[in-house]
Amino acid sequence: MKVTDRQPRRGAAFAAGLLRFILSLFCISLFSSQTYAQSEDPDGGIGYLEHVALRLKAAERAVGKRILSEKLNIRLYGYLEGSYTQNFNNPSNRINQLRIFDVNSNEVRPNLAQVVLERESQSTSGNWADRLGFKLKFNAGRDSDFIGGTNLSDWSDFQEFYVQYLAPVGKGLDIKLGQFNSVVGYEVVESPRNANYSRSWLFGIGQPFTTRGGRLSYRFDDQVSLTVGLIGYINSARADSRHDYLVESALTLAPSKNTSVTLYALAGPRSGPTGTSGGTLFLGGGYVSVRVTDQASVVVESYYANQSGSSTISASGNARWNGVAGYVMYDLNRRWGFRFRSELFEDAGGYVSCGGTTDYQPRANVCFGASSTGSAPAVAQTVWEVTSTLQYKPFDSLITRLEYRYDKSSQHVFQVGGRATTYQPTLSLDVIYLF
């Protein structure tokens, strides 16, 4: 075994050595061609030598990136995110109530450092190896404990990990096995892909974050695509849970280049909270996205969900939740933009909201009355919120957001100082660096 392992290592070492040798020759030739200019340098050429070294490192990085992206079709990318949220209620437990990732009140939060290694499958070649792909998404930071991946610790997890094969069926049948972001919902885990910094309740407490199992996707043409998954593991605000297999699906229609409609569903058996029998979960809904002008777009999302035998407070035992949200995005130019969201959410069975505890990590989905060892009592409530965000991008890889949000509930689930209240105003500054 040692002999066979040594061969690829020698081959890799030889290739790396050859690459460095070629780059060195390039820099030497560049250095030689500038000898006269260097002799006129009053600093004796020291600055130029530093310049050559920097160009050598840049050339090595560029060649390495090209080999990964063009030859192996592998991409490496990610983002860093940090934020500060001011809660004007000044809750004594320093927790923003009923929030998902923006849970720290009046303090800085190191949200996430995400690194993605991805190889996208290709259908343009007859080579079967080109049809293979994979994705590995690693997170580190305070958000990682609540995303619901394979947690390595309270501060790190693998959010997505799957293998992919694009089968030569029709225009290509995309097959994935592993863990991936759910197809249910408009908002997603990754902050840069959302219109606002804070998450809606529709996503945060009512929908899965990630699911694990198998998934088939097929694009019939530019207007119609269908995804169907068989999943046995859900990660959401209701925590990680194994169960009998559920079906997850999404149908996307694009009747015009400026309009798209996505209809999604999730159905199957799922366990309920302690003291209940659990039952069949059904969640169905969708969202419509319309690009009104080159600068403005509008999205409307709505869904209905019910899980039998899972409510501890309703007479029928049915846990029902539903909601509607609207988004308006307007870009003044490449740098400045406005984002607005308004939503109404109902948790009729007291099942999906107020499930968090005040323990140090993660403190998500917390309501007044929770402790470090238990959540607040289940309560049926209707909540609504409005969120306004000013976005500024100093350059393409840096996103800054200033967000004001006002929450309101039919119940006393929020907190002013040490007492309960029905409202919660916050102001957040979010900074994201893409790489």
Side-chain angles (χ1 to χ4, degrees):
M1 186 64 184
K2 293 182 178 180
V3 176
T4 57
D5 285 347
R6 191 177 297 120
Q7 299 304 320
R9 294 177 183 173
R10 288 178 178 174
F14 174 76
L18 180 61
L19 176 62
R20 289 183 176 274
F21 177 71
I22 294 173
L23 292 174
S24 298
L25 287 180
F26 168 76
C27 291
I28 290 172
S29 64
L30 182 65
F31 178 82
S32 300
S33 67
Q34 300 293 331
T35 302
Y36 178 77
Q38 179 183 334
S39 65
E40 297 296 324
D41 185 357
D43 293 332
I46 295 176
Y48 181 76
L49 289 174
E50 293 177 348
H51 175 67
V52 169
L54 289 175
R55 291 193 62 174
L56 174 60
K57 292 180 180 179
E60 288 180 343
R61 287 195 297 268
V63 172
K65 185 176 181 179
R66 182 176 179 182
I67 289 175
L68 286 176
S69 62
E70 295 184 6
K71 302 300 181 182
L72 301 179
N73 193 32
I74 294 177
R75 297 172 58 215
L76 180 66
Y77 60 94
Y79 70 93
L80 306 174
E81 181 182 20
S83 63
Y84 177 88
T85 298
Q86 176 68 38
N87 188 324
F88 297 104
N89 284 350
N90 294 310
S92 57
N93 59 10
R94 300 179 68 86
I95 298 174
N96 298 321
Q97 315 296 306
L98 264 185
R99 297 291 181 87
I100 305 305
F101 299 128
D102 54 327
V103 300
N104 294 95
S105 168
N106 305 346
E107 63 180 271
V108 174
R109 180 177 177 86
N111 292 80
L112 208 63
Q114 183 177 99
V115 178
V116 183
L117 186 65
E118 180 181 22
R119 185 183 193 276
E120 295 183 357
S121 58
Q122 300 288 322
S123 61
T124 56
S125 172
N127 188 350
W128 67 269
D130 292 337
R131 294 179 173 274
L132 295 175
F134 69 86
K135 177 180 280 188
L136 186 64
K137 183 178 293 183
F138 174 77
N139 297 324
R142 293 293 301 274
D143 291 356
S144 62
D145 189 45
F146 196 61
I147 288 174
T150 302
N151 293 93
L152 304 178
S153 70
D154 289 345
W155 283 71
S156 62
D157 83 320
F158 285 102
Q159 178 185 330
E160 288 190 282
F161 48 91
Y162 62 77
V163 292
Q164 178 185 26
Y165 179 67
L166 194 60
V169 177
K171 296 184 178 181
L173 180 63
D174 189 352
I175 304 171
K176 293 185 177 74
L177 295 175
Q179 178 163 299
F180 14 69
N181 284 350
S182 174
V183 298
V184 171
Y186 170 66
E187 291 187 4
V188 293
V189 171
E190 291 80 6
S191 187
R193 293 172 55 191
N194 295 318
N196 306 97
Y197 163 57
S198 65
R199 306 307 195 275
S200 66
W201 287 312
L202 268 70
F203 168 78
I205 61 178
Q207 296 173 339
F209 298 162
T210 58
T211 56
R212 191 181 305 170
R215 177 180 292 176
L216 302 177
S217 300
Y218 188 81
R219 179 176 292 277
F220 297 91
D221 51 38
D222 292 338
Q223 285 76 43
V224 182
S225 62
L226 175 66
T227 297
V228 178
L230 189 64
I231 57 175
Y233 201 85
I234 284 182
N235 306 295
S236 68
R238 299 300 308 166
D240 304 351
S241 64
R242 294 187 181 276
H243 41 68
D244 295 334
Y245 281 94
L246 291 83
V247 176
E248 183 183 42
S249 63
L251 173 66
T252 299
L253 308 172
S256 70
K257 67 176 183 178
N258 293 324
T259 304
S260 67
V261 180
T262 298
L263 304 175
Y264 53 73
L266 178 66
R270 196 178 183 196
S271 59
T274 302
T276 66
S277 61
T280 301
L281 163 67
F282 173 78
L283 187 155
Y287 56 90
V288 179
S289 177
V290 179
R291 190 172 185 83
V292 182
T293 68
D294 290 341
Q295 295 173 292
S297 58
V298 176
V299 175
V300 177
E301 179 182 17
S302 181
Y303 67 79
Y304 170 91
N306 186 85
Q307 184 170 321
S308 60
S310 299
S311 174
T312 59
I313 61 174
S314 69
S316 65
N318 284 341
R320 176 176 60 83
W321 64 99
N322 50 271
V324 59
Y327 303 77
V328 177
M329 286 76 71
Y330 183 80
D331 292 320
L332 296 173
N333 49 48
R334 289 183 59 190
R335 304 301 180 202
W336 293 93
F338 293 100
R339 281 86 176 98
F340 176 82
R341 179 184 67 215
S342 180
E343 72 169 316
L344 178 69
F345 185 86
E346 181 187 18
D347 181 15
Y351 174 59
V352 294
S353 61
C354 299
T357 70
T358 62
D359 195 14
Y360 177 72
Q361 185 78 352
R363 294 181 172 180
N365 191 18
V366 174
C367 289
F368 180 82
S371 67
S372 61
T373 57
S375 60
V379 58
Q381 63 176 315
T382 298
V383 291
W384 61 266
E385 57 94 1
V386 290
T387 301
S388 299
T389 301
L390 173 64
Q391 178 174 289
Y392 174 60
K393 298 172 65 175
F395 43 91
D396 291 342
S397 58
L398 184 63
I399 302 173
T400 64
R401 295 166 171 168
L402 184 64
E403 173 187 289
Y404 175 79
R405 173 168 170 168
Y406 183 83
D407 301 330
K408 181 72 174 179
S409 173
S410 60
Q411 303 292 333
H412 288 69
V413 296
F414 300 112
Q415 186 170 330
V416 174
R419 63 181 178 83
T421 188
T422 60
Y423 66 91
Q424 177 177 249
T426 60
L427 182 66
S428 299
L429 175 63
D430 181 41
V431 179
I432 303 172
Y433 176 72
L434 307 170
F435 61 87

